[in-house]
Amino acid sequence: MKYLPLIVKNALRNRRRTLLTTSSLAISLCLLGVMMALYYALFIGGQPAKAQARRVVVRHKVSIVFPLPLYFREKIAQVPGVEEVMLWSWFGGVYKDARDQRNFFARMAADADRLFRVYQDYVIPEEQKEAFIRDPAGCVVNKALAERHGFKVGDRILIRGDIYPFDLDLTVRGIYTSTDFDDDTLWFNWKYMENMLRNSPRLMAGGFTLLARSEQDVAAISRTIDEMFANSEAPTKTESEYTFGLSFLSFLGNIKVILMSICFAVTFTVLLITANTMAMSVRERVREVGVLRTLGFGKPAIVGLIVGESALISLLGGLLGVLVAEGLCWVVRQGPAIVQQAKTLTIEGPVFAALMGVSLAVGIFSSIVPAVSAARTSIIDALRFTD
Amino acid sequence: MILPISYNLRNLAVRRTTTLMTALGIGLTVAVLAASFALVDGLRLALEASGHPLNVLVTRKGAESELASNFERRVFDDLKFKAGIARNAAGEPLASLEVVTVINLVSVEYPEGANVSVRGVTPIGLEIRDDARLTEGRWFTPGRREATVGSSIAKRYPEARPGEKIRFGRGEWEVVGIFHSGQMARNSEILVDLNQVAADFGRESVLSSALLRATDEVAHQALINDLQADTRLNVQARSEKAYYAQQTSSGDLIRYLGTIVAVIMAVGSCFGAMNTMYAAVARRSKEIGTLRVLGFSRAAILVSFLIESLMLAALGGALGILLVLPVQGLSTGIGSMVTFSEIAFQLRITPQTMASAFLFALAMGAAGGLLPAFQASRKEILTALREG
Amino acid sequence: MSQDVVIRARGLTKEFLRDSFHIVALKDVDLEIRRGEYLALMGPSGSGKSTLLHLIAAMDRPTAGEIEVLGSNVASMADSEMAKWRNRHIGFVFQSFNLIPVLTALENVELPLKLTHLKRGERVQHAATALKLVGLGDRMDHYPRQLSGGQEQRVAIARAIVTDPDIILCDEPTGNLDARSANEVLELLRRLNQEFGKTIVMVTHDPHAAHFATHIRFIDKGELLPEGKKPEDWS
Ligand SMILES: Nc1ncnc2c1ncn2[C@@H]1O[C@H](COP(=O)(O)OP(=O)(O)O)[C@@H](O)[C@H]1O
Ligand SMILES: [Mg+2]
């Protein structure tokens, strides 16, 4: 510790270089931070949001594009541990111009009276909820989505059907927020579908979402449901809503490999840049190492001074990087809900620890070679050294 | 008077560790950019190479994709005798009624399973797909629960190889062969008998689409116009090529991600290059003074250091391209928002990608070298001689 | 063997091998220096003066021969032992001062004390005392670049004496100084020798500087000339 002041002064010796290196580290590590945060949220430590943890999705075993018979709902409701079930259906359709990515958001039909019982994280004024349930052509919209498109209560929204042979003419009856995360969804009354598809074989459920009495029941309920329908006309696949969401990941490409490659490339770049800085700094100071050795500093002390300096710079860069990364996570959270994890992205404890670990490792590995070789240079050679 | 390039080359060679480390930093950045381009280009090229220029894809009006389309059999019966549709040797119109659906298979890359398109076709449909060649086994027999799978499917989904049975619809389907088409996107489909699969899914009268072959280019456009204008049919017709091209947007996310990451990394690497160049300037202070005494102008010094930085970056660019070359030809898949299933494709590093990667590296070199070069050129002769 | 001999060399030889060149920097040197002696080592450049100093300071190991300093056979010590020993027993003054530019005068002087068990307060106190002794009590917070050459060298001397070593080794301490500053430094060294009884070995080119010493010896082409003898071409 008594060397710390010297280490700090050494780090500040070439201020511009240290500033450039620290910034470079901070920039790269913030990128690494966001990538690691995503990777962590998607593949390691992601947790369902609070209310979501009890929600379970039932869908067709072969593919989500196949519908399920309506009567499944009553059978599912009878499974022990199930508190509430609602059916839903993906309407798809086209809102305004499909070419504009912003016009792409989820448009789902659902049991209006059950929606808010299953989605307990939804917050909506009571009278808006009542109005939605009463209106067979009513819809409710997530607040973030409503703000993006300027939807207000009472507005009409037109959606052209593509999967279904009819268009939607909906009235916004309510705007909801969520205590979990914004899901960018428009929910409309299932009665609309019933009215349009009366007597059509196409009046089927896209799937069901149920609320389990407790989180512990989720696994058992899923098993029971899948066994129950295994030999029916439509075998099902039942999983927690959270897991269900993850199953769409492969749609974005091989995110796992992409994220890992980016992390690897960034880490390696950072290592190179820091190593280069340290190599330059040490080279300029070989003579001084000779002086310190003459004064009686041993080789370990020399190595410690140099590695310490590098670690200090890297940790500082890492810390700054984490701060910026948290800022970037905020930006990601404001973005579209491509995956649910993006809406709650943040630097979690383990990711923070990993980032600091990477910073420290970069600090050590980038300087260990020049440090050891400087310490190994004989005093005489070090004192005679001219760059 | 400009300083010779060999002077810069030697200086870079003298500091080879630093040179190499800086260049490698730039190289990795370039590699990330090039790799994301390779993904997007691979997808684009696969899709561009798909679809026959004379084919017309017909779906229900308003449907952006075949999957979202409900195409009635009677509409097909009405349109298959439209003018401009080519005929085969037997005199039948080359018009194929098709049904497309999606199933989930476990793949090598995604153990959780990925979506795969299953297409029901008739023998006419196979005739229109004259680009597809069998590489193994045989075509499915009409009337049987058999499937012939595209080469990408066979490669990526162990469940869908000849001899295996896939479960979907009302039971099992036996895989009896593999086909390969130069039209890459087609290789990501499983082909089965139309009537079998339609019956399985209760879609005997409401199917997905029709694929028509026009007699020639003029007829092709005329056919599209004719179908579009026919309000009674209420269909949407487009060239098959356009349909595939539209799916290129599936790669947008990766393009954005790759570009953002590369730009952020570039700022970092640029700072690294700046460090290196500042150190070079500091170390050669005396030399700069001497050169000025010899009569080299400030501009010559500036240009010389800038050139050195660009050379450093060029080395980085070259290294980056070398680093990324091994991904060439790697196969991967991405979900198409249009077909709702996976399109398999191979990563492609195009000459344009290499050129832009190289330019990107040079830009980093210029940005990183400018300030140090400027500083070098501004040194006063006497202070320069005293320093260092 | 007298108790008083603090430095004793026998057959001391040092060769350097550089790029397949074989350089004999010191050849078979025998030397005895007593406690309290102030020896000026003179000789043409390249004659091996610095090399001898380095061997005494345990900064390097001889190729052959023995060297015993303060009763220790320094050449046989391990590197880490050598370092500790240097810190405790030797003060070294360089021609080019070699102060750490990012540290203040006080911090520079304090530096060798960081290797001791002294507390921070004690270290500062010792360093301040040493600086006052060299007449720079009012320059403690100055950085090397804010000091004149003579002042820098005095800080370096303070750094050399702060651990209270028995032996002070100076390699051309006035080589980079003007005459006036050189005199200040030489006066200081003489005081250290006379008042504090430090044993001093000083390499110098300058006959005027050598007059401050109690003894003068010459080295020529790696060989230590007998007392009173000068190299032939010495002016
Ligand atoms: N580390 C070294 N490597 C190679 N040669 C050296 C080294 N140190 C000194 N020498 C050589 O040894 C000889 C004596 O050097 P030195 O002791 O520095 O002379 P002086 O101090 O008397 O000028 C010179 O020829 C010098 O070049
Ligand atoms: Mg010398």
Side-chain angles (χ1 to χ4, degrees), chain A residues 2-3 5-6 9-10 13 287-288 290-299 301 379-381 383-384, chain C residues 18 54 59-60 79 83 86-87 92 94 96 98 100-103 107 111-112 114-116 123 143 159:
Chain A
K2 57 185 167 185
Y3 296 136
L6 184 57
K9 290 203 161 178
N10 274 336
R13 186 181 293 231
R287 234 182 114 79
E288 234 170 84
V291 175
L292 288 174
R293 299 267 316 273
T294 306
L295 295 181
F297 283 78
K299 287 177 188 175
I379 303 180
I380 308 303
D381 287 341
L383 287 172
R384 285 160 57 102
Chain C
R18 183 94 354 148
H54 293 154
M59 287 157 70
D60 206 355
D79 271 2
R86 270 199 304 275
N87 181 251
F92 205 98
F94 302 91
S96 50
N98 280 342
I100 310 291
V102 287
L103 300 181
E107 288 166 337
L111 203 52
K114 294 224 179 191
L115 296 167
T116 65
R123 294 202 301 263
Y143 284 92
R159 181 175 69 181

Side-chain angles (χ1 to χ4, degrees), chain C residues 46 49-51 95 171-172 203:
Chain C
K49 307 181 294 291
S50 297
T51 303
Q95 175 177 359
D171 197 347
E172 304 191 36
V203 167

Side-chain angles (χ1 to χ4, degrees), chain A residues 16-17 21 23-24 27 62-66 162-163 202 251 253-254 268-269 272-273 276-277 280 283 387, chain B residues 18 22 28 62 68 70 101-104 109-110 115 201 264-265 267-268 271 275-276 278-279 283 335 340 375:
Chain A
R16 182 176 53 211
R17 177 184 299 161
T21 309
S23 322
S24 168
I27 291 167
V62 174
S63 168
I64 180 83
V65 299
F66 301 132
D162 54 1
I163 304 176
R202 296 204 60 195
F251 246 67
N254 200 335
F268 203 67
T269 311
L272 281 169
I273 290 170
N276 195 18
T277 302
M280 290 190 296
R283 217 176 141 74
D387 190 26
Chain B
T18 298
T22 313
L28 278 165
N70 289 293
T101 188
V102 169
I103 63 168
N104 197 272
E109 214 172 345
Y110 309 111
N115 286 337
F201 291 105
I264 296 181
M265 280 179 76
V267 179
F271 285 174
N275 257 342
T276 304
Y278 269 126
R283 191 196 313 246
F340 214 69
Q375 193 205 43

Side-chain angles (χ1 to χ4, degrees), chain B residues 119-139:
Chain B
R119 182 182 294 274
V121 291
T122 55
I124 290 280
L126 290 184
E127 216 170 310
I128 297 181
R129 288 176 174 75
D130 49 9
D131 50 285
R133 299 263 172 279
L134 279 174
T135 57
E136 204 180 315
R138 56 180 173 83
W139 288 107

Side-chain angles (χ1 to χ4, degrees), chain B residues 63-117:
Chain B
E64 287 295 322
S65 72
E66 289 182 86
L67 203 62
S69 163
N70 289 293
F71 190 76
E72 289 175 57
R73 195 183 279 271
R74 62 175 174 76
V75 174
F76 176 72
D77 291 336
D78 284 350
L79 65 70
K80 74 175 164 194
F81 294 111
K82 284 260 181 204
I85 299 179
R87 285 172 189 263
N88 66 7
E92 297 165 289
L94 285 173
S96 161
L97 179 63
E98 310 192 342
V99 65
V100 177
T101 188
V102 169
I103 63 168
N104 197 272
L105 289 180
V106 171
S107 81
V108 209
E109 214 172 345
Y110 309 111
E112 321 83 46
N115 286 337
V116 171
S117 283

Side-chain angles (χ1 to χ4, degrees), chain A residues 21 24-25 265-280 362 365-366, chain B residues 17-29 269 272 276 319 323:
Chain A
T21 309
S24 168
L25 270 160
V266 172
T267 309
F268 203 67
T269 311
V270 164
L271 192 63
L272 281 169
I273 290 170
T274 318
N276 195 18
T277 302
M278 286 317 292
M280 290 190 296
V362 163
F365 287 117
S366 64
Chain B
T17 326
T18 298
T19 301
L20 219 60
M21 280 200 274
T22 313
L24 211 56
I26 293 175
L28 278 165
T29 307
S269 304
T276 304
L319 280 175
L323 276 176

Side-chain angles (χ1 to χ4, degrees), chain C residues 196-228:
Chain C
F196 297 88
K198 303 285 176 202
T199 310
I200 298 179
V201 182
M202 173 176 74
V203 167
T204 184
H205 266 312
D206 176 12
H208 170 70
H211 282 305
F212 283 77
T214 52
H215 298 67
I216 300 179
R217 292 290 291 271
F218 282 90
I219 300 187
D220 190 17
K221 298 188 187 96
E223 286 177 79
L224 187 68
L225 304 185
E227 247 168 301

